[in-house]
Amino acid sequence: MDVLVGIDVGTSGLKAIALSTDGSVLSSASRSYPLSTPRPGWVEQNPDDWWDAACSAVRSVVEQLDCCGSDSGTRRRDRENWRVIAVSLSGHMSSLVMVDREGNALRPCLMMTDARGAEEARFLEEAVGEEVVRLTGGSLRASSMAAKLLWIKRNEPEVYEKTSVFLTAKDFIRARFTGELCTEPTDAGNTMFLNPYSRRWAHDLYESMGFDLKHLPRLVETTDLAGHVTAEAASQTGLPCGTPVIAGGADMACSAVGTGCVEEGVVAVTIGTAAQVVTLAHKIDPRGAGRITFHPHAIVGELYAMGSIFSGGLTLRWLRSTIGENEAIRGRTGSYYDRISELASEAPAGSGGVTFMPFLVGGGSPEFDPAMRAGFIGLSLDTGMAALVRAAMEGVAYNARDCLNVFREIGLPVSVLHMGGGGSASAIWRSIMAGVLGGTVRPLAMRDASALGAAVIAGVGVNAFSSIYEASKRLVLFESNVAPSDVPVYDRQYQIYDLARKALRPVYHHTGSGQMQVPGGER
């Protein structure tokens, strides 16, 4: 049996799956690792922790393929029944890893949410912002790799000088597998100096930002062979030495593949810690600039448009840390999230008029405003825990509707709704999403869409599939459809959310300043 291994380097943990070429998930494993915040606004991870997690998870996946035979003869016979024909990777976006010539990390990775480069982002925006918008349809923010790279140059010049190339998370792990230092267009597109149409570095723009061309990694295509598993990596992971390693992609590019966003009209809502709303786009539309982002798709010649929701499943994690094992939750069966979802289902659609503004870590699409904050509106003495939990879920769905509104405004069709990520395991969240978005939701059978997308890319890279489109259409499977209900209720409640979101932005910007502008100039 031919087997494909997909690896997703996430922000809180790594997931590895073994996929047969008929689409069956044969084995899987996940490993977690810590996140470091050494200073306010700094968010880092140790890239070596990713590699330790990759070795452990992949070895577990391989051992599961070997079945449960205890003697070496049985294991040899089992292994004769399968072979890994390719490996590929997915990884969190806008993660900056500075490496030396041997691929060793010179410092911890600056994660996407690291905000230390805010001043550098402002500097670059003033210098080359118009050119960046024209080229990429996006704007320079602290989360941009360009801002992070400039911060390194300004504040850690010794690291900058020792750097051979910069990599992203999945590029670093691929380098440990193969010894090859390279990247590919779907991750390179988040640097803000890649031409998304030619899928090549925009050297003039990069140099105009003040960077050295020597630090640009070699570009290969997403489905290209990037190298082979080395003897050292084989001994650490259990993969056969010489196994082809395909370049892979950024997590959302792989998720677009794993959620079936490979044709017009398909929109995927993925709820993990954050949430994303993704659809295929043929070109960058300037009307969407600053409200959504555009990125190179794993399919050559295509882009995907993405709405970003910074508080997805994080809302439930926050509720858990805030209310804990509340008496309304104790006594129910299942995991905490099963129990809290059951509680939410006991509140009516619209949460009895309670609305949650889901901006726990600032606003993503359509404002991209870090000053925005979360809050409940419409509370009264009879508001119970069920209404609070349901309102939190509904708030995330309202933010997803914001993203769909932008898609429609710029002419991107919205005809089919797919839903994935850990949040899609919640039956009530599926129902809420269908009602708020006003369409039938197709929940994905494989919720780890990025790992699935990486495995699909691996298969395309070794010609197990004829194309990403063909493989995605064949391998992306679904659970039972969820029809929309309570649409008029959600329409009314969304209007309240929309009014509050717009009206409260001035308040957010004055929070903590001690001064608030009021009409007439009085304070």
Side-chain angles (χ1 to χ4, degrees):
M1 178 192 305
D2 288 344
V3 176
L4 303 163
V5 172
I7 301 168
D8 177 44
V9 186
T11 54
S12 58
L14 180 142
K15 179 71 176 283
I17 65 169
L19 187 78
S20 68
T21 51
D22 67 1
S24 301
V25 177
L26 305 174
S27 61
S28 65
S30 59
R31 299 291 185 270
S32 61
Y33 30 71
L35 193 71
S36 174
T37 53
R39 296 186 188 180
W42 292 26
V43 186
E44 300 180 343
Q45 274 181 344
N46 182 353
D48 289 334
D49 288 343
W50 306 335
W51 178 242
D52 291 342
C55 292
S56 178
V58 172
R59 182 169 290 280
S60 176
V61 164
V62 171
E63 289 174 349
Q64 292 173 58
L65 289 174
D66 278 337
C67 301
C68 56
S70 58
D71 70 277
S72 60
T74 301
R75 283 192 176 274
R76 266 197 305 274
R77 285 193 299 273
D78 290 332
R79 180 162 291 205
E80 289 173 0
N81 294 326
W82 61 266
R83 67 186 184 109
V84 176
I85 60 171
V87 178
S88 192
L89 303 100
S90 159
H92 49 83
M93 296 160 59
S94 299
S95 51
L96 180 64
V97 188
M98 312 294 281
V99 302
D100 62 20
R101 292 180 180 179
E102 286 70 46
N104 300 307
L106 295 171
R107 68 167 331 280
C109 168
L110 277 65
M111 304 288 283
M112 182 185 72
T113 51
D114 190 289
R116 76 186 71 184
E119 180 180 334
E120 285 71 23
R122 286 190 290 271
F123 172 82
L124 291 171
E125 184 69 24
E126 291 178 5
V128 296
E130 291 184 4
E131 176 64 13
V132 168
V133 171
R134 185 195 65 76
L135 181 70
T136 70
S139 57
L140 287 154
R141 306 184 180 93
S143 60
S144 304
M145 285 183 68
K148 296 184 178 77
L149 191 59
L150 184 57
W151 187 93
I152 294 289
K153 183 180 180 182
R154 287 178 168 182
N155 295 275
E156 297 180 359
E158 70 286 354
V159 171
Y160 187 81
E161 289 304 318
K162 290 179 182 177
T163 297
S164 173
V165 296
F166 64 81
L167 299 175
T168 64
K170 68 98 172 52
D171 297 332
F172 177 81
I173 296 301
R174 188 182 57 243
R176 295 294 291 267
F177 270 111
T178 65
E180 299 290 336
L181 304 179
C182 59
T183 191
E184 50 71 52
T186 68
D187 250 337
N190 299 306
T191 63
M192 311 309 286
F193 35 80
L194 180 100
N195 185 315
Y197 297 111
S198 68
R199 298 166 79 94
R200 292 291 180 265
W201 295 122
H203 289 133
D204 291 346
L205 177 59
Y206 180 72
E207 287 188 299
S208 71
M209 293 182 182
F211 300 132
D212 299 320
L213 288 175
K214 66 180 182 180
H215 292 150
L216 284 173
R218 177 172 60 95
L219 273 169
V220 297
E221 193 45 75
T222 304
T223 55
D224 280 354
L225 176 69
H228 297 84
V229 173
T230 65
E232 181 179 356
S235 69
Q236 293 179 273
T237 64
L239 289 171
C241 181
T243 301
V245 180
I246 306 304
D251 58 356
M252 292 315 301
C254 289
S255 179
V257 175
T259 56
C261 286
V262 294
E263 58 186 330
E264 279 190 353
V266 176
V267 175
V269 180
T270 304
I271 303 179
T273 301
Q276 297 82 25
V277 185
V278 171
T279 193
L280 184 78
H282 299 305
K283 63 180 181 179
I284 294 168
D285 192 315
R287 293 174 295 173
R291 299 194 291 165
I292 59 174
T293 52
F294 297 89
H295 310 265
H297 202 292
I299 300 174
V300 176
E302 298 289 7
L303 307 173
Y304 65 92
M306 181 170 73
S308 298
I309 302 168
F310 295 155
S311 299
L314 182 63
T315 56
L316 299 192
R317 188 183 302 174
W318 170 75
L319 282 172
R320 180 176 188 175
S321 66
T322 303
I323 65 178
E325 291 290 328
N326 183 277
E327 62 181 13
I329 299 169
R330 284 194 296 268
R332 301 173 188 268
T333 59
S335 71
Y336 180 86
Y337 297 107
D338 291 336
R339 286 178 279 147
I340 205 170
S341 293
E342 181 184 346
L343 176 64
S345 68
E346 296 172 3
S351 303
V354 177
T355 304
F356 181 66
M357 313 306 290
F359 311 120
L360 289 165
V361 288
S365 297
E367 285 90 1
F368 284 105
D369 186 348
M372 295 176 74
R373 290 295 179 262
F376 287 99
I377 296 172
L379 299 177
S380 64
L381 282 175
D382 63 353
T383 300
M385 282 306 307
L388 293 181
V389 176
R390 184 175 187 125
M393 292 178 165
E394 290 173 347
V396 174
Y398 297 143
N399 204 174
R401 180 163 167 170
D402 291 334
C403 300
L404 261 64
N405 288 345
V406 178
F407 288 173
R408 292 187 173 107
E409 286 173 26
I410 66 174
L412 294 175
V414 178
S415 54
V416 180
L417 299 171
H418 296 175
M419 186 174 175
S424 67
S426 168
I428 186 62
W429 220 340
R430 298 179 185 184
S431 176
I432 288 169
M433 199 64 71
V436 170
L437 302 185
T440 298
V441 164
R442 304 178 72 196
L444 294 158
M446 175 62 174
R447 297 188 182 96
D448 296 305
S450 294
L452 175 60
V456 168
I457 288 168
V460 174
V462 292
N463 298 315
F465 310 120
S466 63
S467 68
I468 287 176
Y469 175 84
E470 178 264 330
S472 180
K473 293 290 288 182
R474 180 151 63 95
L475 301 183
V476 176
L477 306 175
F478 302 91
E479 297 179 355
S480 299
N481 288 354
V482 179
S485 60
D486 301 303
V487 173
V489 174
Y490 288 126
D491 283 346
R492 288 195 301 272
Q493 205 65 21
Y494 174 76
Q495 298 307 316
I496 295 171
Y497 157 87
D498 188 50
L499 286 170
R501 176 174 58 82
K502 294 172 181 175
L504 286 171
R505 284 191 72 194
V507 176
Y508 298 138
H509 280 268
H510 289 281
T511 299
S513 68
Q515 296 178 329
M516 178 176 286
Q517 288 291 119
V518 296
E522 299 178 359
R523 297 187 177 191

